[in-house]
Amino acid sequence: MTENNSIIKVKNLKKYFSLKSGFISTIVGKEEKFVRAVDDVSFDITRKKIIGLAGESGSGKTTTGEIIALLQKPTDGKIVFNGKKINDLSGKALVEFRRACQMVFQDPYETLNPRFTVRRSIEEPLLINGWGNENKRFEKVKDALERAELRPAEDFMYRFPHELSGGQRQRVAIARGIVLDPVLLVADEPVSMLDVSIRAGILNLLRKLRDNMGLSMLYISHDLSTIKYICDEVIIMYLGRIMEKGPTYEVLSQPVHPYTKALIASVPVSDPDVKREEAEIKGDLPDQIDIPEGCRFAPRCFSANDRCQSEEPELYSIKKGHQAACFLCEPK
Amino acid sequence: MAFLNIQDLKIYYKTIRGDLKAVDGISFTLEEGKNLGLVGESGCGKTTAAKAILRLLPENGRIAGGKIIFRDQDIAQLSYEKMRRLRWNNISMISQSAMNALNPVIRIDKQIIEAIRTHENTTKKETLQRAVELFKLVGLEAKRLKAFPHELSGGMRQRAIIAMALALDPDIIIADEPTTALDVVVQDKILKKILTLQDQFNSSMILITHDISVVAEICDKICIMYAGKVMEFGTTSKVLKDPRHPYTMGLKNAFPSILLEQKELISIPGYPPDLVNPPIGCPFFNRCPFGDEKCKDEQPPREYINDDHWVYCHYADQYQDFREKATQGSTWEAVRKRQQELGVV
C-alpha cells in the first residue's frame, strides 16, 4: 500500500498504563508494574475503507481507537496522518486534526447532553471551530441531519434526546460526528446498544457515508457478524497485539490464526440446522498485568508447542494483505 | 404436557400518564425439560413477563389479568408465603448483570449458603459441601467460593450465578439475557454449560434474549414478542425457517450472520408504539409493509399453522407473497415513506 492511499498509519504503537504502587513499595524499590493495553501494534487505515478492529474486552481495541483520535497519548510509537506525524500536535494543528477525525461512541444515551436540543448538539462542533454565521450553521446542521437520514430535518432540530428513540439518538450522534466533514470517523461499538431491528439501519448508514462522502472509518466491535457486514478489512486483536489482519472476507472465511478460528467458531448461528464446530480454546483470558511470555495466546492454544512458550511470533504474510502472528504460517 | 401455562397474562405499570400495558394478553406454554426462547426488542415486555412468573414485579406493576398456571396452581393468586417457598426451590432466575445480582460486600460462599439454608433445613457443613459440588459443576475451582464478587471475572461471576440458580434443583430456570454482557468466547462456554447442566438436572428454561442466534442454538420453542403481545410462537426451527409473521420476517432480514452471504441487511423502519395508549388493532401495524384498514382497526386472532406453531396476523395465509417481498429493501422503504407522510417518525 502506498503512502498516498493510507489516511492513518500507526507504527509500533504502545500504550502502557502504570499501576501506581504505594509510597512504601517505591522506597523499597519494588518493580513498577504495567498494564500493557496496546503492545506494539502497526496498521494502516486506507482511504475510503472501513477497517474493523475486533477482539474480546481487554484486547486493547478501544484504547487503540482513542489513541488514533488523539484522546490518549501513546507510550511509544508513531501515528502518521496524511503523511505527517501527529503524536505531539497542539494548538491550532490539533484543532484542525480534531475537525478531520471525529468519534462516535457506544451509548447514545450518554453521549448526548440531555439539556441540549438536537440542533444545539450538532451545532456545538461548528461553534467550537468558529464555523460560519448562524444561518450557515443552521443549513449545515440540517444537511448533517439529512445525511444521517433523519428526515425531514426540521422535525428533529428542536427535539431533546429523551424525545428520540435509541436508533434516532445514535443517528444524531453520527450527524454530530460528520457535521464538520471529517475524513476519518472512529466508531466505537456504535450498534451494540441498539435493537436488532434498528441496528441494520445504522450499519447501512455507515456504509453509505463511506460510499457517498468518501469517509474512512475505524469500526471497533466485538461482534464479528456486523464486522463482516460493513468492514473492508479486519484486524483481530488479543491482549494488546494483532493476531491476524486482512481483507474481511478472507480472514473470516479462511482464518489462519488459532485465535481467529476459535473466535469465529464461538459466534452462535441463527440457522437452527447448522451445527457449528467446537471452538478450540482453553481456559480464560489471562491477567493483563502478567501477560504470558512467548506468544500470548499460547496458554489457551491447542496447537502451541515449546517454541510458542518462549518466542513471540511476528506477523507473517500469507497472501497479499493477509497476515497472521503465528508460527504455523511462518515461511519455510 | 405443558407444566407452565401462561394464559392471557396482562401486566400493567402505574404511571402518571395512566396504565402502561407492558404485557397485554400473552399466552404461551413451557414443557418439562424443554427450553423456550422469549425474543423481542427492548420494551416489548419480555423481562416483565419473566418477573411476573416469579412475582417479582416492581411496586408500581401489577398482574391485571390472566393466569400463570404452574403444576395446577395459579401463581398470580398465590399467597406471599407460598410464593416465597416456590421461588428458588421450583423456579429460579439467572439475571443479566451478575455484578448486580451478587452482594459486593459478602463472600460468595456465604451468599450461596444463605440461599440454600433459607429454603432447606440443612447444616452449614452440608450446605458448604453442596456449594463446593455446585462450583465444580459449573467449572469453577472450590477456592473461588471464598472470593468477593469483584475478584472474579465476568464469566466466572456468571458461572457463580448459575451455580446459585441450580442450588435447589429447580423445575424452571428463568435466564434473563444470561450472556449479553459477556464476550463471544465466554458466551459460548456458558451456554454450553447451561445446556449440559440442564440435561443433568432435567429442568426447563425460559431464555430471554434479543439474540435470535442464541435461541436458534439452544431453545426448542421460540416466542416472538412485540409491544407487549405475542406475534408468533412455535418450534424454533419452524419459526425461523418458515416465518409467518411480517415482524419475524423483518427481524430475520435485519440480523447479520457470520456464515451466510448477505447482500443487504434491512432494518424495520419506525419504533414500537406507546404502550400507555396502545393501538386498537395490530401493534405492528405502523411498521408493517402489508397492513391495511383491517389491521389498523382489529386485533388479529390467533391463527394456527399446526398444533405447535401459531401466529397473530390477519393475513397469515399470504405468507409466501409477504416473505418474498420482505427480502426487498424497497418494501420497507415504502413503510418509511408512509410513516413520514403520516408524521409518525
Side-chain angles (χ1 to χ4, degrees), chain A residues 306-331:
Chain A
D306 290 348
R307 188 176 170 204
C308 304
Q309 319 286 352
S310 53
E311 213 182 309
E312 190 150 25
E314 51 181 296
L315 277 170
Y316 302 111
S317 234
I318 298 146
K319 267 189 207 159
K320 191 169 174 276
H322 187 176
Q323 296 171 305
C326 180
F327 289 123
L328 286 176
C329 43
E330 186 182 22

Side-chain angles (χ1 to χ4, degrees), chain A residues 56-57 151 159 195-197 200-201 204 207 224 228-229 263 266 268-274 276 281 283, chain B residues 41-42 183 185 187-189 210 213 216-217 237 241 255 257-258 260 263-265 267-268 287 340 345:
Chain A
E56 297 172 80
S57 38
R151 299 187 194 111
R159 291 204 205 169
D195 275 312
V196 180
S197 69
N204 286 333
R207 266 183 166 188
L224 288 175
K228 176 174 177 239
Y229 184 62
L263 208 55
S266 299
V269 177
S270 59
D271 186 337
D273 292 345
V274 174
R276 280 188 291 136
I281 191 163
Chain B
E41 301 179 43
S42 34
D183 282 311
V185 178
Q187 159 171 302
D188 188 39
K189 286 186 177 172
H210 62 271
S213 52
E217 293 211 337
S237 58
K241 286 264 167 194
F255 201 80
S257 158
I258 191 159
L260 308 172
K263 284 203 178 64
E264 192 192 9
L265 291 180
S267 65
I268 304 174
R287 298 174 79 185
Q340 270 165 14
V345 275

Side-chain angles (χ1 to χ4, degrees), chain B residues 21-193:
Chain B
K21 300 167 184 74
V23 170
D24 203 7
I26 61 165
S27 307
F28 61 79
T29 54
L30 176 69
E31 283 151 60
E32 198 157 4
K34 299 280 186 195
N35 293 344
L36 168 74
L38 218 50
V39 181
E41 301 179 43
S42 34
C44 75
K46 50 192 195 299
T47 300
T48 299
K51 282 191 175 150
I53 296 172
L54 281 161
R55 289 260 303 273
L56 289 174
L57 290 170
E59 239 169 59
N60 63 341
R62 66 172 198 279
I63 297 177
K67 288 178 179 160
I68 307 169
I69 310 282
F70 171 68
R71 294 216 166 123
D72 303 326
Q73 46 188 351
D74 185 1
I75 286 182
Q77 307 294 339
L78 282 186
S79 70
Y80 179 85
E81 184 52 34
K82 275 195 176 147
M83 193 60 223
R84 196 185 66 75
R85 263 181 263 151
L86 203 75
R87 271 185 218 127
W88 223 317
N89 255 329
N90 299 101
I91 309 176
S92 70
M93 185 152 187
I94 301 172
S95 59
Q96 174 171 7
S97 155
M99 199 62 210
N100 295 340
L102 293 165
N103 188 332
V105 294
I106 298 176
R107 289 182 203 275
I108 290 176
D109 59 345
K110 215 173 158 194
Q111 298 190 44
I112 297 190
I113 290 167
E114 187 193 345
I116 298 175
R117 293 194 72 200
T118 313
H119 289 272
E120 272 179 21
N121 250 335
T122 50
T123 63
K124 240 185 179 160
K125 219 174 154 191
E126 281 167 14
T127 327
L128 189 66
Q129 192 49 44
R130 178 109 138 255
V132 171
E133 279 163 27
L134 283 166
F135 258 48
K136 251 188 225 150
L137 275 177
V138 296
L140 284 173
E141 297 162 273
K143 65 171 189 198
R144 299 287 184 188
L145 272 167
K146 279 275 165 227
F148 285 103
H150 73 264
E151 293 174 307
L152 303 180
S153 72
M156 289 201 269
R157 276 201 291 269
Q158 205 62 6
R159 281 169 204 258
I161 290 282
I162 293 169
M164 285 175 81
L166 291 171
L168 295 166
D169 193 3
D171 303 303
I172 301 174
I173 303 165
I174 296 176
D176 188 0
E177 307 260 10
T179 57
T180 307
L182 305 173
D183 282 311
V184 273
V185 178
V186 188
Q187 159 171 302
D188 188 39
K189 286 186 177 172
I190 299 270
L191 289 178
K192 290 216 170 93
K193 196 93 240 174

Side-chain angles (χ1 to χ4, degrees), chain A residues 191-223:
Chain A
V191 297
S192 57
M193 295 276 292
L194 304 176
D195 275 312
V196 180
S197 69
I198 296 152
R199 209 177 271 187
I202 301 286
L203 293 173
N204 286 333
L205 171 64
L206 294 176
R207 266 183 166 188
K208 271 185 212 153
L209 292 176
R210 171 194 62 189
D211 297 341
N212 304 342
M213 277 177 68
L215 203 60
S216 314
M217 227 175 282
L218 183 68
Y219 177 86
I220 301 167
S221 176
H222 67 280
D223 185 352

Side-chain angles (χ1 to χ4, degrees), chain A residues 102-104 177-178 182-187 206 209 215-218:
Chain A
Q102 291 279 323
M103 242 183 129
V104 174
I178 59 174
V183 288
L184 177 68
L185 199 65
V186 177
L206 294 176
L209 292 176
L215 203 60
S216 314
M217 227 175 282
L218 183 68

Side-chain angles (χ1 to χ4, degrees), chain A residues 93-158:
Chain A
L94 182 63
V95 175
E96 185 54 34
F97 173 78
R98 291 232 194 281
R99 194 197 63 71
C101 171
Q102 291 279 323
M103 242 183 129
V104 174
F105 298 94
Q106 174 173 7
D107 189 349
Y109 293 83
E110 288 188 356
T111 53
L112 296 175
N113 188 329
R115 289 160 185 262
F116 279 8
T117 58
V118 167
R119 180 184 170 185
R120 178 74 211 279
S121 273
I122 301 175
E123 207 177 6
E124 188 85 351
L126 295 171
L127 287 167
I128 291 169
N129 278 270
W131 201 93
N133 58 26
E134 204 181 327
N135 280 338
K136 271 189 170 168
R137 280 198 300 270
F138 179 81
E139 287 303 317
K140 194 81 183 155
V141 170
K142 195 176 147 195
D143 177 54
L145 277 170
E146 268 163 15
R147 276 189 292 174
E149 292 169 350
L150 289 170
R151 299 187 194 111
E154 285 87 350
D155 281 6
F156 290 95
M157 287 251 195
Y158 301 103

